[in-house]
Amino acid sequence: MLLLIAVCALFAVLYLGWSRQQRARSLALTRVKRQCETDALQLLDDTLILESMRFKWRKDNTPVLCRCYAFEFTSTGDERYAGYIQLEGYRVASLQLMPHRVQ
């Protein structure tokens, strides 16, 4: 019986982690799409790739999970360019678009 409770607790923790990761990814994807639309760019593959996750200490000495996602976009339709978005918790800390041609 104790084993069953431990297994259920493990699955609950894994699900909670997965759902929070999906929430952060969805937030980042929405922000990247909005930026691409504003700059007349096309987000390629509608995909974000999780590059890194780490804990960072805020100024008030509380930890926050930082996630960095990579994506690709195009301005002309011919070339691919890299972009990066970094989240601190559920807040966008930075969004970088590599130098690209402007139509």
Side-chain angles (χ1 to χ4, degrees):
M1 186 67 175
L2 188 58
L3 179 63
L4 180 61
I5 293 172
V7 168
C8 287
L10 176 66
F11 279 120
V13 168
L14 289 174
Y15 176 75
L16 182 63
W18 175 80
S19 67
R20 288 184 177 202
Q21 176 64 27
Q22 289 302 103
R23 179 178 167 210
R25 184 188 173 285
S26 177
L27 174 92
L29 185 59
T30 300
R31 180 64 176 89
V32 166
K33 283 181 177 182
R34 189 175 346 140
Q35 186 67 45
C36 285
E37 186 177 296
T38 299
D39 294 344
L41 303 172
Q42 180 184 359
L43 177 64
L44 296 175
D45 308 323
D46 278 348
T47 302
L48 295 179
I49 299 164
L50 182 63
E51 290 279 311
S52 66
M53 280 182 15
R54 64 182 175 85
F55 281 101
K56 175 182 172 182
W57 292 95
R58 293 182 179 158
K59 291 179 182 178
D60 62 352
N61 284 335
T62 58
V64 63
L65 184 60
C66 293
R67 298 173 178 94
C68 183
Y69 295 95
F71 58 94
E72 291 185 326
F73 66 95
T74 185
S75 59
T76 62
D78 295 330
E79 300 156 333
R80 289 179 171 261
Y81 301 98
Y84 301 93
I85 186 168
Q86 183 175 354
L87 298 180
E88 291 181 0
Y90 297 108
R91 185 182 68 81
V92 175
S94 69
L95 183 109
Q96 300 173 343
L97 300 174
M98 294 299 112
H100 57 279
R101 290 185 191 191
V102 179
Q103 289 185 356

